[in-house]
Amino acid sequence: MASTEIEALVQQLARLPGLGPRSARRAVLHLMKKRESSFAPLLAALQTVSERLVTCGICGNIDTQDPCAICADPRRDARSLCVVEEVSDLWALDKSRLFPGKYHVLGGRLSALEGVRPQDLSIDALVARVAAGGIDEVVLAMNATLEGQTTAHYLAERLEGYPVRLTQLAHGLPVGGELDYLDEGTLAQALRARRPMG
Amino acid sequence: MASTEIEALVQQLARLPGLGPRSARRAVLHLMKKRESSFAPLLAALQTVSERLVTCGICGNIDTQDPCAICADPRRDARSLCVVEEVSDLWALDKSRLFPGKYHVLGGRLSALEGVRPQDLSIDALVARVAAGGIDEVVLAMNATLEGQTTAHYLAERLEGYPVRLTQLAHGLPVGGELDYLDEGTLAQALRARRPMG
C-alpha cells in the first residue's frame, strides 16, 4: 500500500504500549497531514530526549539531566525516601504530587522464578543512601504482588538497625471498589486492616 | 516531575489520535526503557519519513515517493479509478486490498458550511485524468454523509459525457449490523436497495 518507509514507521509506532497497527496507521496519517504542526514538533521532541536521556546516578530515575529533576529539586524533602520497583512506578506516584520526598528506583523486584537476586537490583545503593544519614523515613512502595512484598521484606531486613522509620503503602479497597468485584486477597487485607469509624 | 524536555515529548505524543496524556506517558517510558530496541528505530523511521514525505503529483496520496507506490505499481489496473475524499480514506480502502485499481484523492468534500468550493478540491485534476482516457470505471467512494454524497453528485455531473462507468459504494447494513441498533437512514437505504435472495 504505502511505501516501505511509511510501513516501517507504522510498525515502529504499533509496538508502543497502547497503540496497535490500526491506531499507529491513524497516527502516521495524522502526522503526515500535519507536517508543520505535529510531525516536526514531535520529531524535534524525540530527538532532544533521545540525545539527552540519562539514568540519574542518585535515584535511578530516567531523565534528561543527572541528577534528575527530582533529586536536583531543593524544595523536595530529602528526609523522606520512597523506594519503587521501576521508573514507571516513580512516574505514577509522582504524577499525583502527593509524595513530597525523593525516590529510589530498584530496577525490578526479587524473583526466584526470573532469577532476579539482590545484587541485580539497586539495593546496595539504597542501603548506602540510608547509611549516609539525613533520611527519617523510607516508604517501601513495592507492588502489591507476591514478589513485590518479598522484596519489601528483604529491604526491611537490610535496613534494620538504621535510624529510619520503614513504612509501606496501605492495602485495602481501591477508591470506588465494589466488594462484589474485588478478589479475596484484597478483601482479606481490607478486613484485617480495618479501622475504627472516623 | 520529569524534565521539561520529557514533558514536551509526552505532550507531543498525547496529541496523536488514539493517544491521551496517560498512554503517551506510558509510551515515553517504554521508549526510554528500550532505548536501543524501540527508541532508536522509531526515531530513525520518523526521520526517514519526515525527510522524504511528498504528495503524489498524480493522485494526491501522501508517500515517500512521487509518483506514489500505488501510482507507480504496474500491476495495478489503471482502467479503474477510485475517488476518495481524504488520504486516510485511500489507506482504509487499500488496506483491504480489495480494489485493484488506482486512486484519486480530492483533499476534502464540498461543504457550503465550511466554505469548501469545487476549486478548493482536486476536481479539475480528476476530470483531466478521465479526459486523458484509458479509464473505464470511476468509483465515487465518498463518505456516506450528506456532504460526501453532494460531492459525489457534483463529480457525476462534471464527468458526464466522458466514456466512463460511474459507480458508487453500496449502502446498506454493515456486516454484523443489528437492525435494532442501526439508524433510520441506514435502514431506509438498505430497504430501498433490497435485492432478490441469492
Side-chain angles (χ1 to χ4, degrees):
Chain A
M1 174 196 67
S3 75
T4 40
E5 290 99 335
I6 295 180
E7 279 303 311
L9 175 56
V10 170
Q11 276 173 27
Q12 286 301 332
L13 269 178
R15 291 172 57 202
L16 292 183
L19 279 173
R22 200 190 187 86
S23 40
R25 200 170 295 280
R26 220 178 307 136
V28 169
L29 260 167
H30 173 88
L31 288 176
M32 300 201 320
K33 278 200 228 160
K34 316 232 157 156
R35 292 183 68 174
E36 297 308 318
S37 63
S38 278
F39 204 151
L42 174 63
L43 189 55
L46 274 166
Q47 265 162 335
T48 308
V49 170
S50 167
E51 281 160 16
R52 306 212 190 141
L53 223 48
V54 283
T55 299
C56 174
I58 300 175
C59 74
N61 188 12
I62 304 177
D63 205 342
T64 52
Q65 56 184 81
D66 179 14
C68 75
I70 294 175
C71 284
D73 187 347
R75 287 164 305 179
R76 302 200 66 131
D77 183 1
R79 287 165 306 165
S80 278
L81 192 65
C82 181
V83 185
V84 293
E85 297 180 16
E86 303 279 3
V87 174
S88 49
D89 300 328
L90 187 163
W91 285 33
L93 265 177
D94 210 57
K95 207 171 39 180
S96 67
R97 300 184 186 280
L98 288 172
F99 182 69
K102 309 227 167 176
Y103 291 90
H104 190 87
V105 180
L106 293 176
R109 67 216 62 80
L110 296 178
S111 167
L113 210 66
E114 295 167 27
V116 181
R117 298 153 307 166
Q119 57 266 42
D120 299 323
L121 303 178
S122 171
I123 293 178
D124 286 344
L126 168 66
V127 175
R129 284 181 82 178
V130 171
I135 296 174
D136 295 339
E137 178 185 11
V138 175
V139 186
L140 300 173
M142 269 73 255
N143 286 326
T145 59
L146 184 62
E147 293 175 338
Q149 296 309 304
T150 306
T151 309
H153 282 113
Y154 177 81
L155 292 179
E157 269 178 37
R158 288 288 302 269
L159 294 173
E160 224 176 58
Y162 292 103
V164 288
R165 198 156 33 97
L166 294 181
T167 56
Q168 238 189 326
L169 296 184
H171 292 173
L173 308 184
V175 174
E178 296 181 51
L179 296 195
D180 207 13
Y181 291 94
L182 284 169
D183 62 296
E184 266 182 54
T186 301
L187 287 179
Q189 292 270 18
L191 197 59
R192 214 177 298 140
R194 65 188 180 276
R195 300 176 307 163
M197 289 290 288
Chain B
M1 175 196 67
S3 75
T4 39
E5 290 98 335
I6 296 180
E7 278 303 310
L9 175 57
V10 169
Q11 277 173 27
Q12 285 301 332
L13 270 178
R15 292 172 58 202
L16 292 182
L19 280 173
R22 199 189 188 86
S23 40
R25 200 171 294 280
R26 220 177 308 135
V28 169
L29 259 168
H30 173 89
L31 288 176
M32 301 201 320
K33 278 202 229 161
K34 317 231 158 156
R35 290 183 69 173
E36 296 309 316
S37 63
S38 277
F39 204 151
L42 174 63
L43 189 55
L46 273 166
Q47 264 162 336
T48 308
V49 170
S50 167
E51 281 160 17
R52 306 211 190 140
L53 222 49
V54 282
T55 298
C56 174
I58 299 175
C59 74
N61 189 12
I62 303 179
D63 205 343
T64 52
Q65 56 183 83
D66 178 15
C68 74
I70 295 175
C71 284
D73 187 347
R75 288 163 304 179
R76 303 201 63 133
D77 183 1
R79 287 165 306 165
S80 278
L81 193 65
C82 181
V83 185
V84 293
E85 297 179 16
E86 302 280 3
V87 174
S88 49
D89 300 328
L90 187 162
W91 284 33
L93 265 176
D94 210 57
K95 207 172 40 181
S96 67
R97 298 182 188 280
L98 289 172
F99 182 70
K102 309 226 167 177
Y103 291 90
H104 190 88
V105 180
L106 293 177
R109 67 217 63 79
L110 296 179
S111 167
L113 210 64
E114 297 168 24
V116 181
R117 299 153 305 167
Q119 58 266 44
D120 299 322
L121 303 177
S122 171
I123 293 178
D124 287 343
L126 169 66
V127 175
R129 284 180 82 177
V130 171
I135 296 172
D136 294 341
E137 178 186 11
V138 175
V139 186
L140 300 173
M142 270 72 255
N143 287 326
T145 57
L146 183 62
E147 292 175 340
Q149 296 309 302
T150 306
T151 309
H153 281 114
Y154 177 81
L155 292 180
E157 267 178 40
R158 287 288 302 269
L159 294 173
E160 224 176 57
Y162 291 102
V164 289
R165 197 155 34 98
L166 295 181
T167 57
Q168 238 188 326
L169 297 184
H171 292 173
L173 308 184
V175 173
E178 296 180 52
L179 296 196
D180 207 13
Y181 291 94
L182 285 170
D183 61 296
E184 266 181 55
T186 302
L187 286 179
Q189 292 269 18
L191 197 60
R192 214 178 299 141
R194 65 188 182 274
R195 300 176 308 164
M197 289 288 290

